[in-house]
Amino acid sequence: MQSDTRLRTLFNPDSVAVIGASRNPGKLGHVVLANLVGAGYRGKLFPVNPAGGEILGLKTYSAINRLPHSPDLAVVVLPRQDVLRTLDELAEARVGAVCVITAGFRETGRDGFELEMRMADLARRKNITLLGPNSLGLINTECGLNATIAQAMPARGSIGFFSQSGALCSAILDWADGEGVGFSKFVSLGNKAALSEADVLEALGDDPDTRVIIGYLESVDDGEKFLRKARAVTGTKPVIMIKAGTTPSGARATSSHTGSMAGSLVASTAAFRQAGIIEMHDLEALFDLARAFSEQPLPKGPNLTVITNSGGPGILAADACEGAGLNLARPSQKTLQILTEALPPFAAIYNPIDIIGDARADRYRATLEAVAQDEITHAILVLLTPTASAEIEATAQAIIDTAKACDKPVFACFMGHERIKPGRDMLLAAGIPCYAYPEPAIRAISSMLAHYRWLNRPYPVEVCFRRDKGKAEHVIAKARRIGLQELPFADAMSVAAAYELPVPETRLVRTSDQAVRAAKKLGYPVALKIVSPHIQSRADVGGVAIDLHTPRDVRDAWLDITSRTQRKRPDAYIAGCLVQTMGPIKAREVEVRFTQDPQFGPLLSFCLAGPLSEMLGDVSYRLAPLTLQDAQDIIREIRSFPLLRGARGEEPVNLTAIEDILLSMSQLATDFPGIQEAVLSPVLVNAEGAFVSDLRLTIG
Amino acid sequence: MQSDTRLRTLFNPDSVAVIGASRNPGKLGHVVLANLVGAGYRGKLFPVNPAGGEILGLKTYSAINRLPHSPDLAVVVLPRQDVLRTLDELAEARVGAVCVITAGFRETGRDGFELEMRMADLARRKNITLLGPNSLGLINTECGLNATIAQAMPARGSIGFFSQSGALCSAILDWADGEGVGFSKFVSLGNKAALSEADVLEALGDDPDTRVIIGYLESVDDGEKFLRKARAVTGTKPVIMIKAGTTPSGARATSSHTGSMAGSLVASTAAFRQAGIIEMHDLEALFDLARAFSEQPLPKGPNLTVITNSGGPGILAADACEGAGLNLARPSQKTLQILTEALPPFAAIYNPIDIIGDARADRYRATLEAVAQDEITHAILVLLTPTASAEIEATAQAIIDTAKACDKPVFACFMGHERIKPGRDMLLAAGIPCYAYPEPAIRAISSMLAHYRWLNRPYPVEVCFRRDKGKAEHVIAKARRIGLQELPFADAMSVAAAYELPVPETRLVRTSDQAVRAAKKLGYPVALKIVSPHIQSRADVGGVAIDLHTPRDVRDAWLDITSRTQRKRPDAYIAGCLVQTMGPIKAREVEVRFTQDPQFGPLLSFCLAGPLSEMLGDVSYRLAPLTLQDAQDIIREIRSFPLLRGARGEEPVNLTAIEDILLSMSQLATDFPGIQEAVLSPVLVNAEGAFVSDLRLTIG
């Protein structure tokens, strides 16, 4: 834990005081002390209890100011009303780190929230590292520190874990105990009054005992900081996380549970992806992955070879590969030759390699050896069903030997229960992930490949755009001064122009005569659009006419648009119409947008214009600022991208023009956090270039 | 097994002969006999081996014609080359049912395939019930019949199982052994030379010992028969199935494994849905569900109440409810009152009900009792994490007592491993599904709700349409006679008209002058469409012009269309253009289509017209014939349905008009299996009605 000496004190204290230590085994103040003693903590332990005496054979101090010297870490297990005062005393005693186990703060309402704020404030002023309150505690297996109220001490291992849910910590400790999974550090974040997920993540990133980090979060307090720290950590070790409360039902449950806002799923998913965090949506997957990452090397490519003694599970594995980015590549000619000689005639030597039901361990071994040396293969999955001929332990041994001798990740799936147990136990003991079904194995390999690609991604290219920030500032400030929520269209256009977005030339007119004159000036064809402060989406009220070629067209359109709008929205004040130069007629229509996410800041989105994209969830997201790679990826990520690339014999559109718009928007969002939402829709794009046909800017 | 006396003989034989019984414990011919003896089969056993003597203390016969009387069932475990001859001898001896365990038939290539066909033919002629070949065997726990080469005999239970993969059977038996799951019947289908999945499904449906049926299939031989039988069975018991090989990778693996065609995912998914089969995609889910269905009553509605002692898992459960069709309904006023009194002030009394981390069993019990009597709740899920205060066994008991006293399904999720094990064991023993994570519990409840709804679906309304079948027949026969693959447009229109589809009036013209004359006759506005036998999609070559109001428009369009088509497809012969009456200009465009699936017959699909629907997977499917309900559902199932219902202030389109088109198409597909594909696209639909603007009919 080099990152921060304050966190080093928290995780590696030379002495620990338990404030509120109790003689009564039913009390949490007893459990903490017993855990510290039981886990074999080698530093000094100071129980503090007004009654003094001895607890668990340890001399007990009646007050903090009676301690022989200032402890590095104090664990507070007192009634809520005593915590703030105690924190003050600990500050007096110059204690470096405090873990508050006591609950009843932010999560219980206004009083608790205020008390918690005062604690956080005190910790900040006195430079105390404060974990919690409402924390289950923390564990460092490396120095035998178990400062928790949990029921079990995990074995030493290379998984670092942090969680915003304390109860989940209990469950995980119990699970780890049963499964024989070890941890390096184990941190229950509690209410995160001071120490945040970002701090702990950074500390685990710097911890030499931690190879894999897993985390459970319900909220992120400072998204920007979290992302920055996470991006640094994921460059050296995998970070696998669940963000709970990402659905409407889940978000409601979260806010009633923690009193914190869950934020939007898309923002946190974009954040995780841009930070290289592997996001999972259920606990089983989280643990499967933690194990796989901590035990196996990363696959260096997508080619998975499946070896099986039965067709059915092989097919299920193949089904699972689809959509997981894995490829059942055909083995090399040399491997095929070896397999043809080694396997019976009815075996399937392609991939999945089906060595058929009467296979004994030698057939597995011969196949494994051939596949392990095949350069085409990046990862190996061995499936076994307990057929009459199956030699379960000998097969496990063949897998273990192969994994030792090659640098490719090797996974096993032994299906069944009692009969396969000895083999499964051997594999797990040897660090080979062994699953009960093919699907989770495929999922783990797929995530490890994603992490390999993250580590080997191109160096991010930061882009800075030429822009007239001062002009945009001026326009926005003016709108703010007169209390506008949304920039008038012409002003929005000025801002866009200042950021070199390809916008049309525009005139605001109030009569059809003015419209015809403006059209003549701009040059035909033109578009005509209704202007009303009360109408958000012009298309919805039929307030747009395009491709007007003659004065007659303009007059007809004026009549159409204004009468239709008045009919549909009789309440709306109509300020006039805009006359605009036209973008290309034959063009795809896309939409570029950003909003401000409360947790992660400006969130850009890209999709095809029109209601279908959102309805069918075909929208891609990135947090600003975008790198060049981000701008390229966000376009290619939508499933309807083939339409832009030129499906069905059409010309591809100018993708660089869209990238430029995305990068300008990223710059605008970063320059002006006060812009709540910006929508460019539709943006017309064809082979020549892009053209922002309409836009809307909303300010705070 | 009332359905079929032949199957009764297979599952409940009074005597079993093992042809190829062996003295050598390493041989399958020994394993089968040992399994029969070991499982305590109470009927007569006749080992058959040319050497005679005794095996496992049983008198062994040297040949089939030496048996004291004809056995009900013969299990054949001989080398491949002896099987056909033996089958003949068994037929001579009037054996009713034969299970062939021997492998090496269809799955090994042409020779094996032909041998298998001859066996199937013999069985048909001699009226033998033939299971296999390449079967692992079958089990009936009710009469202690274990005629398999598997390693374990499952306990008695209410789950009936059939599988096309023998090795998977081994894995499942081993798993069931470890988990204490019981089976009623257990059938390894093998190559399905004679006895098919449909036969076995029907038999399990009629079996009074079977409450839940689970199955694993790689192919369906006679889709129509399977569906008919399945629909009958799912009306009385749940059928849960995996269809493997549904992805391209999986399909490749399937065909190399079984030599059978996997068929399309969408067809089998549509088939399963229309037959009320619950489709799963992984084995874990299959088993989770089998257990849940066999042990708990069905929820009578979507309202799930979650009780938890920790916020985090509650949030994860809430997240999982989203999209699972479950609803975390607010408890009734009465329940809220009880909870307010019974729970501490910081508890969350809404849903999830968080009784917080210091909850003991009494708090669980009080909450459970309140929720169980609440009429709003249809199902209960109890989450427990092993906090310091958790009373695991007493809580399990409270759950068991509640489940006994109420008719709602009760599920548990005890998170952890060693500490929660005693509670988990108690729950499982009492028939309460207990999961390690919230997500699979939610998935099980969701599937049970779907089955409840299936059982309570409205009575299907069969629709028969007025149509001129003879006319369509005549047109199609004529096209066939002259060797056409696709009906000429005008003929396709006649067929459509014969089925009362709302098609435009159409004239085929060869010059622009003819086009103008035709337009005048039909009445403006008209559409103009290129006609070429070489062009499938007119829109792709720019071969369509619509909304032509004047002769001038028609002439311009003629020039545009023909020159554009010639430029894009210089190879295409242009037969002329069609002049058509126009459908409504302001309309949504949808697409109705059918194709012939090799396994399940005519498959109808519905989506919005345009490339996005297919690209984004927003297409819904049903197999013909459609009921009225099917026609209504297929429209409402697409995610973009809101656009048809009238999103954003627009009028809804005439859905009945689309339903009529779907039902006509269903009738056409059923009447003419020879029509390979029919595409109506676009179908224009607005508030008034629907109009088939273009169509294409492909014949065999």
Side-chain angles (χ1 to χ4, degrees), chain A residues 40-341:
Chain A
Y41 175 59
R42 289 180 298 273
K44 285 193 203 112
L45 280 177
F46 305 132
V48 177
N49 183 307
E54 268 199 0
I55 305 178
L56 292 168
L58 294 167
K59 174 175 164 52
T60 300
Y61 301 86
S62 62
I64 293 167
N65 58 20
R66 297 286 176 90
L67 291 175
H69 66 80
S70 171
D72 282 349
L73 168 65
V75 184
V76 178
V77 211
L78 292 170
R80 184 178 89 159
Q81 65 273 18
D82 300 331
V83 175
L84 186 62
R85 180 186 46 73
T86 303
L87 202 58
D88 214 7
E89 290 175 33
L90 291 168
E92 286 289 298
R94 299 185 175 278
V95 173
V98 178
C99 167
V100 178
I101 296 206
T102 312
F105 294 87
R106 179 202 300 255
E107 77 278 16
T108 61
R110 191 181 174 80
D111 287 359
F113 180 78
E114 280 173 4
L115 200 51
E116 184 173 316
M117 287 297 101
R118 288 167 67 192
M119 282 163 55
D121 186 50
L122 179 63
R124 208 165 12 249
R125 280 187 288 112
K126 302 289 183 171
N127 204 23
I128 291 175
T129 303
L130 174 66
L131 178 65
N134 194 17
S135 164
L136 196 87
L138 81 156
I139 290 173
N140 179 357
T141 55
E142 193 260 326
C143 66
L145 176 80
N146 181 356
T148 72
I149 51 171
Q151 303 281 311
M153 174 74 177
R156 279 186 74 164
S158 57
I159 301 172
F161 177 82
F162 65 94
S163 166
Q164 194 172 344
S165 160
L168 204 60
C169 291
S170 318
I172 285 161
L173 284 175
D174 190 27
W175 166 84
D177 198 25
E179 291 278 319
V181 170
F183 288 91
S184 52
K185 307 281 180 290
F186 198 99
V187 188
S188 165
L189 294 172
N191 290 3
K192 306 190 291 187
L195 204 66
S196 73
E197 59 282 346
D199 302 320
V200 172
L201 182 60
E202 184 181 35
L204 294 175
D206 288 338
D207 175 23
D209 299 322
T210 299
R211 279 183 56 192
V212 182
I213 300 168
I214 61 179
Y216 167 89
L217 283 182
E218 288 162 8
S219 64
V220 174
D221 295 321
D222 180 346
E224 200 262 321
K225 177 180 167 192
F226 179 72
L227 281 194
R228 203 177 55 241
K229 304 262 179 183
R231 204 177 281 123
V233 174
T234 57
T236 58
K237 31 186 110 164
V239 178
I240 309 156
M241 287 186 50
I242 290 189
K243 172 82 167 60
T246 46
T247 64
S249 312
R252 276 193 300 278
T254 306
S255 81
S256 89
H257 171 45
T258 61
S260 61
M261 204 163 30
S264 81
L265 170 63
V266 290
S268 75
T269 296
F272 283 14
R273 157 178 299 203
Q274 280 172 267
I277 293 172
I278 298 152
E279 187 181 17
M280 290 287 122
H281 293 285
D282 62 83
L283 290 171
E284 189 167 11
L286 189 74
F287 299 136
D288 278 352
L289 273 192
R291 246 184 140 133
F293 271 106
S294 71
E295 291 174 341
Q296 287 293 311
L298 298 176
K300 295 194 175 61
N303 293 344
L304 171 70
T305 300
V306 174
I307 303 170
T308 179
N309 69 341
S310 56
I315 298 170
L316 291 174
D319 276 340
C321 281
E322 199 86 20
L326 297 174
N327 181 21
L328 293 178
R330 181 190 163 111
S332 72
Q333 212 48 44
K334 186 178 155 205
T335 305
L336 290 176
Q337 211 158 7
I338 300 174
L339 294 178
T340 308
E341 282 161 29

Side-chain angles (χ1 to χ4, degrees), chain A residues 561-612:
Chain A
I561 286 181
T562 50
S563 61
R564 201 153 45 211
T565 307
Q566 273 165 342
R567 207 170 56 241
K568 287 217 173 183
R569 293 285 305 277
D571 57 309
Y573 164 70
I574 298 176
C577 279
L578 297 172
V579 184
Q580 290 184 350
T581 52
M582 284 284 297
I585 292 295
K586 274 290 281 182
R588 292 280 173 197
E589 302 193 350
V590 301
E591 176 176 316
V592 176
R593 176 191 287 255
F594 72 76
T595 55
Q596 296 289 341
D597 182 78
Q599 291 184 7
F600 294 104
L603 177 69
L604 278 112
S605 67
F606 175 76
C607 62
L608 295 190
L612 273 186

